[in-house]
Amino acid sequence: MERKTPYKSEYYKGEIFAMAAAKIRHNALKDNFVALMMNHLRGKSCRTYSSDQSVLTATEDGLYSYPDIIAICGPPRFTDLVKDTVTNPTVIVEVLSKGFGR
C-alpha cells in the first residue's frame, strides 16, 4: 500500500500513521548529525541514509518507518526484490522535537 501513495506513512501494531513535514530546525539538526556521522564513518564499510529510506525494524509488531538517519555497515538487506525497505540498519537516529509544530 505504501508504494502506491504520494505521501510517506509509518506502520506500527496494525495501524498506519501519516508523517508530518519536518520543520527547518529539525532538518538543520539532522543535517549536522549526518555530517558528523559521515566524517566518523569515512574509510569504513558503513554508509548513512536519510529519512527517505524505509526501514523494517525486526520487532514483534513489525515497525515500518522512515527514521531521520540510519547507518548500514556492510551491504544493505531488503524485504523483497523491489529494494525500497531495508532490514539491517546498524544505527537508527531520530531527532526529537519538543512538540508537534515547533
Side-chain angles (χ1 to χ4, degrees), residues 25-26 95-102:
R25 245 177 61 181
H26 178 98
V95 176
L96 302 178
S97 302
K98 288 184 179 181
F100 184 77
R102 288 188 179 180

Side-chain angles (χ1 to χ4, degrees), residues 6-77:
Y7 56 87
K8 294 191 297 187
S9 56
E10 296 183 324
Y11 175 85
Y12 182 61
K13 290 188 176 183
E15 292 187 64
I16 297 172
F17 302 90
M19 294 181 62
K23 303 295 182 199
I24 196 162
R25 245 177 61 181
H26 178 98
N27 286 330
L29 285 168
K30 181 179 73 165
D31 290 347
N32 288 338
F33 198 82
V34 166
L36 290 169
M37 284 181 68
M38 289 177 68
N39 188 44
H40 178 73
L41 296 174
R42 187 165 288 131
K44 298 182 173 88
S45 66
C46 303
R47 187 180 191 296
T48 61
Y49 297 87
S50 74
S51 56
D52 288 329
Q53 181 58 62
S54 175
V55 174
L56 170 59
T57 307
T59 66
E60 186 177 299
D61 300 308
L63 170 64
Y64 284 86
S65 62
Y66 293 88
D68 286 320
I69 309 161
I70 65 168
I72 297 176
C73 297
R77 290 195 301 266

